[in-house]
Amino acid sequence: MKIKGTTISQGIAIGQAHLLDVEKFLLPSYEIKDEEVESEVNRFNAALKLTIEEIEEIKEKTRQSASDEAGAIFDVHIAILNDPTLKRNTVTRIIKERKNAEQAFTTSIKNVVEVLEKSSDPYFKERAIDIRDLARRVIVNLQGKKKSDSPTYESPIVVSSQLSPSQTSVLHASVKGFVTEHGGKTSHTAIIARSLEIPAVIGVKGIVEAVSPGDEIIIDGIDGLVIIKPTEDEKEEYLNKLKAFKERRSKLLEESKKPSKTVDGHHIKIRCNIDFEEELEKVNEFGVEGVGLYRSEFLYLKCAPELPSEEDHFETYKRIAEAAYPFKAVIRTLDLGGEKYFHEQLAPQEVNPVLGLRAIRFSLRHHQFFKTQLKGILRASTKKNLEIMFPMVTIVEELKTAKDVLKEAMQDLKREGVPFDEEIKVGIMIEIPICALNAEAFALDVDFFSIGTNDLIQYLMAIDRNNESVAGYYDPHHPAFLRLLLSIASVAKRNKIGLSICGEVASDPDMIPLLIGLGYDEFSMTPQSVLEVKSKIISLLYKECRKIALEATKMKTGRQVRNLLKGSKMPSFLGIKLGKTKDES
Ligand code: PEP
Ligand code: MG
């Protein structure tokens, strides 16, 4: 039996199902006597302290086995457990309502979970999973029993309705892969799985019902599939696929030493999208030419619940500039939705945050903190290889205001006698349709455009990029989208400004011929994708790409474009299939 899901971390794993139940734990409920109040409060405080110690331990292990940034996710959990309101509410319930500690604590934390679950922002919905896991830990410690999560099989594959970050990192040493029914690509669990390079597929509906403990299963983290109780033939097929996957990685590693040029000598720059500083190591590998996108929101996550100080900004960007040198690194200013829970004090609740006070809109409302970030970037720019990029720009006025704040930041630094790159390049992400259609109006005021295709497609097609039920509409081959890319490229060329793509389409080897043909020669992508993309680039003929891309822009549907690509001489490699819409699969 095969069930389809979404790959969040590539690879193939074959093993036995280890079912984890994150939801169920015994929750005793009783009234305490007056004389028991003090000992009940003490019992609660001891369990909380023990839980914090456990999370500290997990954090340390994660730091060592994954990265500082992956470990830092647990700082947020520790901050939640240390939250004075949560403690006060629990203790008040014990004292005033005579509730036992388990009940008092569960009620208090339920309020936090409910607020997050009601949020229309998938990011917050996913954080509710983290908090439920914290609650489970506190309850287990209150009851004085240790629940063993450790799998006992030889090659365990964890199957769960959902998986918390702490479980992912505690389990990772002993498991071969993860499968869950829920979760999103932006979840901390997904981030940790990718960091740890463990094959993982999420959104596998019905998997918990469909498997029994010990069942043999295969995770196909290439095509996003889970195979339950595979037949001998299927097992053999996947052992071969795994062998081919490994062989292909070694071949790609060898190939990556070649320069990034098409067969007819067209140089294509590959840069990295960096979320975690730990990924910076990859910036000097495989002929990568710097950082095309540093998503600075991960610095905010790391510092949460505090906002990063100017010093935090400076130190981080300095490390990025040094890692990328002599190539450039593009620092994108904050792109947070309007209601990240640790920024409640700054942003109001929004019904539809994807269309709300996101990114540059948010920064322009919070002038002072925007300026702090800009000062941090400027201070780190003395090697002259940093560039500033504003996300989600909609109208020209926003760009002008953002540049005014940048000027102010520069004046402040001059007054303070602090050196910085006075010629620092400034660009925008093109990811909102009106900005894409009006690119000419922005071109005079910027040094570069970088196309955020994830959001551009989301807003063009009116599909929430985190909503599984409309994911079938996502179609980067759609000719109307290709025409838009072509027109942005011609605006950039005419105005002689920089041009790159940093959205996920740049990580897709099958999109590369089209993108090159449309006039793009700089791509920024997750480090994991570099080898496949480079291998594609060195197999292409520029003039073929141009011909096929121009032909594609004249078509009417994404399917026609895919058929065009299939019929062309463009090579298509193992494991990398052309994207298909639902009706084609
Ligand atoms: C994009 O929208 O394509 C992009 C690169 O930005 P993010 O994915 O961070 O929104
Ligand atoms: Mg974006």
Side-chain angles (χ1 to χ4, degrees), residues 22 50 58 101 165 195 200 256 260-261 271 375 408 441 550 575:
V22 294
L50 181 58
I58 296 171
S195 244
S256 72
S260 181
K261 280 185 185 163
R271 299 203 167 93
K375 283 177 80 175
E408 264 179 51
L550 294 182

Side-chain angles (χ1 to χ4, degrees), residues 376-501:
I377 302 174
L378 287 171
R379 281 176 56 196
S381 68
T382 47
K383 277 178 165 295
K384 295 190 183 286
N385 69 329
L386 283 191
E387 300 187 356
I388 297 174
M389 178 158 76
F390 300 128
M392 301 272 308
V393 173
T394 314
I395 51 173
V396 174
E397 290 81 349
E398 274 174 328
L399 172 62
K400 292 209 168 17
T401 317
K403 287 180 83 174
D404 286 346
V405 183
L406 179 63
K407 255 185 234 150
E408 264 179 51
M410 288 180 167
Q411 280 155 7
D412 282 6
L413 290 178
K414 275 191 187 158
R415 250 195 321 273
E416 292 160 22
V418 179
F420 61 91
D421 176 8
E422 296 193 25
E423 307 290 307
I424 194 162
K425 288 197 170 133
V426 176
I428 55 168
M429 288 197 68
I430 298 202
E431 47 188 348
I432 294 188
I434 196 104
C435 174
L437 293 165
N438 199 23
E440 192 80 54
F442 292 89
L444 290 177
D445 291 319
V446 293
D447 297 301
F448 64 90
F449 289 155
S450 186
I451 321 293
T453 53
N454 308 335
D455 278 312
L456 186 55
I457 294 177
Q458 156 168 265
Y459 295 122
L460 271 176
M461 305 189 92
I463 43 162
D464 180 343
R465 63 194 255 201
N466 296 305
N467 183 342
E468 295 156 24
S469 31
V470 288
Y473 284 97
Y474 176 85
D475 189 2
H477 294 106
H478 198 286
F481 171 62
L482 302 180
R483 286 194 286 276
L484 192 56
L485 290 183
L486 179 67
S487 88
I488 301 167
S490 40
V491 171
K493 294 265 138 81
R494 216 172 22 252
N495 288 278
K496 299 192 175 55
I497 61 171
L499 176 70
S500 74
I501 297 185

Side-chain angles (χ1 to χ4, degrees), residues 4-8 178-185 190 200-204:
K4 183 95 185 102
T6 306
T7 298
I8 53 162
F178 298 108
V179 188
T180 65
E181 296 208 355
H182 304 287
K185 284 192 167 186
V201 178
I202 58 165
V204 186

Side-chain angles (χ1 to χ4, degrees), residues 254-309:
E254 218 19 66
E255 269 183 9
S256 72
K257 292 176 188 142
K258 295 185 186 160
S260 181
K261 280 185 185 163
T262 59
V263 176
D264 43 354
H266 205 77
H267 178 195
I268 306 292
K269 287 196 180 117
I270 297 181
R271 299 203 167 93
C272 279
N273 287 354
I274 299 293
D275 298 342
F276 295 139
E277 274 186 58
E278 195 254 352
E279 294 171 292
L280 283 172
E281 284 170 20
K282 320 248 167 69
V283 164
N284 293 320
E285 288 175 6
F286 325 131
V288 165
E289 300 181 52
V291 176
L293 165 67
Y294 171 65
R295 290 183 165 99
S296 66
E297 45 277 17
F298 281 85
L299 168 62
Y300 286 77
L301 279 173
K302 189 174 152 191
C303 295
E306 302 298 322
L307 285 168
S309 64

